[in-house]
């Protein structure tokens, strides 16, 4: 049984591509009135924005990609898959509840915070132990990914509070969050390919190759079994 089906590589790979393409195209349509350094991505999907339809579509596509990836990522722990799916639902909600053309929105801010939190926590929740675990699902890399995402979210909040480089901070953390599912899926597929490429085991003592345990070589047709000495 495969750790993940191959189509999950497509859904997880499309997530960062569509998100980054969405904010790049939307910013180009908005023109000089938009500052990507200080203004957030949500501003591009606000009511009345020139490229709102592009950014809104990118949020919807991101949510669907996360939901599909969570569904197919069977190698991850159930709690992590639920958290990743929650991040997908939050992305759909962000697209459904855009910010107004001026001022803030409690509903939009709430669902955005939920999305940041679930997507930051899903790597450590998806971690599994064992010798046969793909490296991106092992505890140490998973904890490292969560640490980076939480640190990026804190950076974003600080920049929002001081009216600084909020746009840059948000782009960095959302890009990392959208890319990590693809890294996990790729590690699962490479792990399976690596195991299939080792039909022989190596004897550490004698340095010779031997067949895996549990396999026997069937006798060739037409050749009788050797008789023991002393028996007719």
């Amino acid at each position: 049984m495969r750790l993940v089906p191959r189509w999950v590589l497509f859904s997880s790979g499309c997530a960062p591509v569509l998100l980054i393409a969405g904010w790049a195209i939307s910013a180009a349509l908005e023109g000089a009135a938009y500052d990507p350094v200080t203004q957030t991505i949500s501003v591009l999907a606000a009511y009345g924005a020139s490229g709102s339809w592009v950014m809104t579509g990118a949020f919807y596509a991101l949510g669907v990609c996360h939901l599909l990836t969570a569904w197919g990522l069977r190698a991850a722990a159930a709690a992590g898959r639920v958290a990743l799916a929650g991040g997908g639902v939050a992305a759909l909600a962000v697209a459904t509840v855009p910010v107004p053309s001026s001022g803030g929105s409690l509903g939009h801010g709430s669902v955005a915070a939920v999305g940041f939190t679930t997507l930051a926590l899903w790597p450590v929740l998806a971690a599994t132990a064992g010798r046969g675990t793909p490296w991106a699902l092992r505890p140490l890399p998973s904890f490292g990914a969560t640490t980076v995402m939480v640190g990026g979210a804190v950076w974003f909040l600080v920049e929002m509070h001081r009216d600084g480089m909020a746009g840059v901070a948000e782009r960095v953390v959302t890009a990392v969050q959208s890319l990590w599912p693809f890294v996990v899926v790729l590690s699962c597929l490479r792990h399976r390919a690596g195991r299939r490429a080792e039909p022989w085991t190596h004897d550490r003592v004698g340095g010779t190759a031997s067949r895996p345990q549990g396999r026997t070589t069937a006798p060739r047709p037409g050749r009788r079994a050797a008789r023991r000495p002393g028996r007719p």
Side-chain angles (χ1 to χ4, degrees):
M1 183 178 179
R2 291 180 177 177
L3 295 174
V4 293
R6 289 191 176 274
W7 58 262
V8 184
L9 190 65
F10 177 77
S11 63
S12 60
C14 284
V17 173
L18 293 175
L19 177 63
I20 294 173
W23 79 48
I25 296 173
S26 298
L29 293 175
E30 195 67 19
Y34 177 77
D35 183 6
V37 175
T38 60
Q39 291 181 288
T40 64
I41 302 170
S42 299
V43 174
L44 295 172
Y47 292 111
S50 301
S52 61
W53 60 276
V54 178
M55 197 66 243
T56 300
F59 281 141
Y60 277 123
L62 178 67
V64 172
C65 287
H66 284 335
L67 288 172
L68 291 175
T69 302
W71 181 28
L73 194 57
R74 295 190 292 255
R81 297 173 66 185
V82 171
L84 179 58
V89 173
L92 298 177
V94 165
T96 305
V97 187
V99 295
S101 57
S102 61
S105 170
L106 179 61
H108 180 87
S110 299
V111 294
V114 171
F116 271 115
T117 303
T118 54
L119 290 177
L121 293 179
W122 93 266
V124 72
L125 294 176
T128 57
R131 296 181 61 185
T133 303
W135 73 266
L137 287 174
R138 294 172 186 171
L140 186 58
S142 300
F143 180 78
T146 292
T147 302
V148 171
M149 294 177 193
V150 171
V154 172
W155 177 35
F156 170 64
L157 291 176
V158 170
E159 295 296 335
M160 285 285 292
H161 180 72
R162 59 188 293 268
D163 293 330
M165 298 187 301
V168 175
E170 185 185 29
R171 280 164 172 77
V172 171
V173 66
T174 53
V176 173
Q177 288 181 337
S178 63
L179 182 62
W180 184 249
F182 175 74
V183 174
V184 173
V185 172
L186 189 62
S187 72
C188 292
L189 293 176
R190 289 178 63 86
H191 179 78
R192 177 176 178 271
R195 295 184 62 181
R196 291 184 60 184
E198 296 178 358
W200 298 83
T201 58
H202 191 271
D203 186 3
R204 295 182 179 179
V205 178
T208 59
S210 60
R211 290 183 180 275
Q213 296 181 359
R215 294 187 180 181
T216 58
T217 304
R220 296 180 181 179
R223 182 177 293 183
R224 299 177 63 182
R227 297 180 179 179
R228 295 182 179 180
R231 291 190 178 182

